Amino acid sequence: MSVPQPQDGTPILELRGVDKHFGAIQVLHGVDLKVYPGQVTALVGDNGAGKSTLIKSIAGIHPIDGGQLLFEGKPVTVTGPRDSAALGIEVVYQDLALADNLDVVQNMFLGRERTKGILLDEASMEQAARDTLAKLSVRTLKSVRQLVSSLSGGQRQTVAIAKAVLWESKVVILDEPTAALGVAQTRQVLDLVRRLADTGHAVVFISHNMVDVFEVSDRIAALYLGRMAADVPISEVDRTRVVELITTGRSGDLGIEPAAVAEVGA
């Protein structure tokens, strides 16, 4: 379960000058981002800042138009989701993409089922699901054979995260994992996010909730209208500065250059 980590401080995932256009509209402008193993990097920004486009570019859903992606220090080309998954990048989207009519095991192996001859290898899949949940210290599920339709929001999020980890992922991107959850369920998910990083995974945590961000993150990357305003250790900023970065693109000595901010806001 523990993911080998580079010893030289190399980001496991790095974006350099990434651009993305949709027709005549440029959504991402020269975005730089560094994501490190064993750390939670919070990706924050207002609605329309480009967060979804950025993670879908990393996932290969939207191939980039300019710039470079590096994985484990080496340039890579990601032209589709298969390329991203092959590198070890898994994305848990906000809709979770779980099938209510299937149980936990069936969801975790959906589309990647194990077979023994012409039959499904149910015993192997069930054991792998149990092992993955155990290694993440998940104790909120009564049975891996529960239907997903019977699970709470927090339990569903747990299954979706465990599904991402099952496939030997190195980078796990979580899109608003605590949205619409109650206090107790949010606590469970935040604990799981932290355990993911502690097992060596690089975690990208997308959230609007600054309380959650400051509780669980090691770094913070703030997007402002498609530009990266800051990508820094979270110890270097406070909530006020992060809100300023999100809303104006600049806070003190951090952020987009004033001339660029004026250009973006024009």
Side-chain angles (χ1 to χ4, degrees):
M1 185 63 162
S2 185
V3 178
Q5 299 184 31
Q7 298 301 310
D8 58 359
T10 303
I12 191 166
L13 173 67
E14 183 175 1
L15 279 61
R16 294 180 182 171
V18 167
D19 295 328
K20 181 61 191 174
H21 298 79
F22 292 109
I25 300 172
Q26 186 169 357
V27 181
L28 299 178
H29 304 255
V31 171
D32 295 333
L33 176 67
K34 294 180 179 179
V35 178
Y36 294 89
Q39 294 189 6
V40 178
T41 299
L43 180 62
V44 299
D46 212 345
N47 292 332
K51 301 187 302 297
S52 293
T53 300
L54 183 61
I55 63 169
K56 287 179 179 178
S57 295
I58 294 170
I61 295 171
H62 299 321
I64 63 174
D65 298 322
Q68 194 174 41
L69 268 64
L70 292 88
F71 198 82
E72 296 179 327
K74 300 173 183 177
V76 293
T77 301
V78 177
T79 59
R82 285 182 182 274
D83 293 340
S84 180
L87 290 171
I89 300 171
E90 294 283 341
V91 184
V92 179
Y93 294 102
Q94 198 168 349
D95 64 7
L96 302 183
L98 297 176
D100 279 357
N101 61 320
L102 300 179
D103 66 27
V104 171
V105 175
Q106 291 167 328
N107 267 280
M108 288 177 68
F109 281 90
L110 188 60
R112 304 179 186 179
E113 290 83 359
R114 293 179 181 176
T115 56
K116 184 182 288 186
I118 61 171
L119 301 176
L120 291 175
D121 190 350
E122 295 283 0
S124 170
M125 290 189 290
E126 182 170 324
Q127 189 59 52
R130 290 181 190 279
D131 290 346
T132 300
L133 290 164
K135 288 171 183 175
L136 289 172
S137 300
V138 173
R139 300 183 181 87
T140 56
L141 296 175
K142 293 179 181 177
S143 167
V144 293
R145 286 303 180 181
Q146 277 182 273
L147 288 180
V148 163
S149 59
S150 71
L151 302 181
S152 69
Q155 290 171 324
R156 286 168 183 251
Q157 189 66 243
T158 296
V159 171
I161 293 171
K163 178 180 179 180
V165 171
L166 179 65
W167 302 108
E168 298 182 1
S169 55
K170 298 178 180 179
V171 178
V172 180
I173 301 174
L174 305 174
D175 184 11
E176 297 280 359
T178 58
L181 296 184
V183 174
Q185 293 178 358
T186 295
R187 174 77 272 141
Q188 293 168 10
V189 172
L190 291 179
D191 288 345
L192 181 54
V193 170
R194 193 62 252 172
R195 287 198 295 274
L196 266 183
D198 291 343
T199 54
H201 294 81
V203 182
V204 179
F205 177 69
I206 300 165
S207 181
H208 284 94
N209 188 315
M210 288 299 112
V211 175
D212 292 354
V213 164
F214 273 84
E215 178 171 346
V216 81
S217 305
D218 301 290
R219 295 184 63 84
I220 190 159
L223 277 174
Y224 176 71
L225 297 180
R227 289 168 168 82
M228 188 62 72
D231 177 11
V232 295
I234 202 159
S235 58
E236 294 183 6
V237 292
D238 57 24
R239 292 183 202 176
T240 300
R241 295 196 76 184
V242 172
V243 171
E244 288 178 350
L245 289 166
I246 290 171
T247 56
T248 69
R250 191 160 184 85
S251 176
D253 59 346
L254 272 181
I256 305 167
E257 291 301 318
V261 171
E263 179 187 327
V264 174

